[in-house]
Amino acid sequence: MEESLQYFYNKFFDAAWVIQLVVLALSWVFLCNGGVWKKEIRFRVCLEFLILLAVLMGCNVGFFMPRHAFIIIWNVVHGIVSAIYLRICSKFNSKAKIVMWCSMYASIICLSAIAGQISFLTGEFLSKGLAEGVIRCIIYLFIIPVAFYLRAFNFDEYEDMPNSGLALILLSDFSILVLSSVETIWFGIDYRIEICLLASYFCIFIIVVVAIYAMYAMCKEKADTIALQAEKQRLLSERELAIMTESNLEDLRCIRHDLKNQYAYMQILLKETRYEELQHYFQQVAENLPFQLSYIDCGNQIINTILNIELVKANKELIPVEHQLLVPPVLPFSEDDLCAIITNLMDNAIEECRRLRLEGNENTGIRIEIYPQKSYLYIMCRNTTSRKQLNHWRSGLRTTKKDELLHGFGTRIVVRLAEKYNGCAEYSLKDGQFIAKVLLDLMNEEGNL
């Protein structure tokens, strides 16, 4: 007990210890709020810092026990306190909070251990006392740049975080705690052991720093891939619209040519008072009117264009399409986003029906509904399917195609765009039908009706 009280006395009046706790509290505040504080939040952030510092100090001096046990318990308590602080005060989303906490916690424990090892080696080979404290504080100060480094990676932009990267950081946290426990047993026995531990902590710290960058790069690459897929879909739709327009123009030229010949023939029959032949000719013309000129008109020009392109695709595959459409002429959504949502839903439906027809199932069909529902635009696309269950993957559905790297982005694009407009997307199966439902907020920030 006397040894514990002496250790507490030395710690409480150790200036280096106070500096370390100040740096520790500052690093978590910087990670949570960033480095530039606006006037309206400056008081709140300062209050957060003082409360966090007081809690950390209280936890630190509250343990009257031998040094070895103190280090283990302190690491655990520090992790719990910092996690609670980040959970309450941070504006990161839940996944980003986990990533940030794991990375920061691992970095702090590593740098704390490195500071302790270098401080010990300084005392062994250079000078004890002031030199040890100065070295320990200098190493500890690197925690603040690490906080700014982690803060630079805004994971709030990305909802898909690789589980492998998070698992690597969690493994690093566990490894550090195990290594810290081993250190408490071997501390001060031999400087060579301290050097080995120092190298181990340094390697783990580098792994954490690189892992967080790799996670961010993977998230960014995934987001860029989805954006490129959406852009590709838009360009394909524009190309198909151009082809459809040219085809319609050619059909109109042919119809115009036929009408001129028909008018000339009817004029001859009329002049010659051959009324029975004229009536019979009218019946033939009525029976052979071109049915290809079917056209969807829902009240919105953009959606008209998109759906008519999709209707042409479905007609080529002999897939019947039912629709219930009542759309306001002006919508507060990007034309590209609307195109991406409807095109992905319809293309997936057409592709599934095409697959079933190739397998011999002729009883296929698609139904599309678009209309306002309270303050949302409701979009529902339903198609025949042979699926028995849906394999959800991240924010979308797992593709049934072999190459998952190049496919399976459509459902995720729809979900991401729905969330962009304060809405949601839902996929389900019912009575042999695949049903996709999307809600888009008509009163979103990008525009009002």
Side-chain angles (χ1 to χ4, degrees), residues 115-231:
Q117 303 297 333
I118 294 179
S119 175
F120 171 78
L121 294 174
T122 300
E124 283 287 310
F125 297 103
L126 296 177
S127 175
K128 292 186 179 293
L130 180 62
E132 292 179 290
V134 170
I135 289 296
R136 197 161 74 243
C137 290
I138 290 174
I139 301 299
Y140 228 82
L141 286 172
F142 280 97
I143 295 175
I144 293 179
V146 170
F148 282 105
Y149 170 78
L150 295 177
R151 177 75 186 187
F153 299 107
N154 185 11
F155 283 96
D156 275 341
E157 299 176 4
Y158 312 112
E159 61 173 87
D160 292 335
M161 297 186 190
N163 294 327
S164 57
L166 184 56
L168 179 61
I169 296 176
L170 288 173
L171 181 61
S172 299
D173 287 353
F174 179 75
S175 301
I176 292 168
L177 292 176
V178 172
L179 197 60
S180 179
S181 301
V182 172
E183 179 195 355
T184 61
I185 300 174
W186 290 344
F187 182 79
I189 295 177
D190 191 330
Y191 75 89
R192 287 170 294 189
I193 295 178
E194 301 300 326
I195 292 175
C196 291
L197 291 172
L198 175 63
S200 301
Y201 280 119
F202 182 76
C203 290
I204 294 175
F205 174 70
I206 295 299
I207 289 173
V208 173
V209 170
V210 173
I212 195 71
Y213 175 80
M215 282 187 66
Y216 185 80
M218 285 188 284
C219 290
K220 187 175 186 303
E221 183 179 355
K222 282 286 185 182
D224 291 343
T225 302
I226 292 176
L228 287 174
Q229 288 287 337
E231 180 66 16

Side-chain angles (χ1 to χ4, degrees), residues 63-128:
F63 305 129
F64 297 96
M65 57 188 66
R67 179 188 183 280
H68 295 174
F70 171 83
I71 292 176
I72 298 174
I73 294 179
W74 163 245
N75 285 338
V76 174
V77 171
H78 162 227
I80 295 173
V81 170
S82 57
I84 293 173
Y85 168 69
L86 209 62
R87 175 69 180 84
I88 295 174
C89 299
S90 174
K91 294 183 179 179
F92 296 126
N93 62 44
S94 56
K95 289 185 179 179
K97 286 178 182 178
I98 295 174
V99 173
M100 289 300 185
W101 177 83
C102 291
S103 304
M104 189 65 180
Y105 180 63
S107 300
I108 288 175
I109 300 300
C110 277
L111 288 174
S112 299
I114 290 172
Q117 303 297 333
I118 294 179
S119 175
F120 171 78
L121 294 174
T122 300
E124 283 287 310
F125 297 103
L126 296 177
S127 175
K128 292 186 179 293

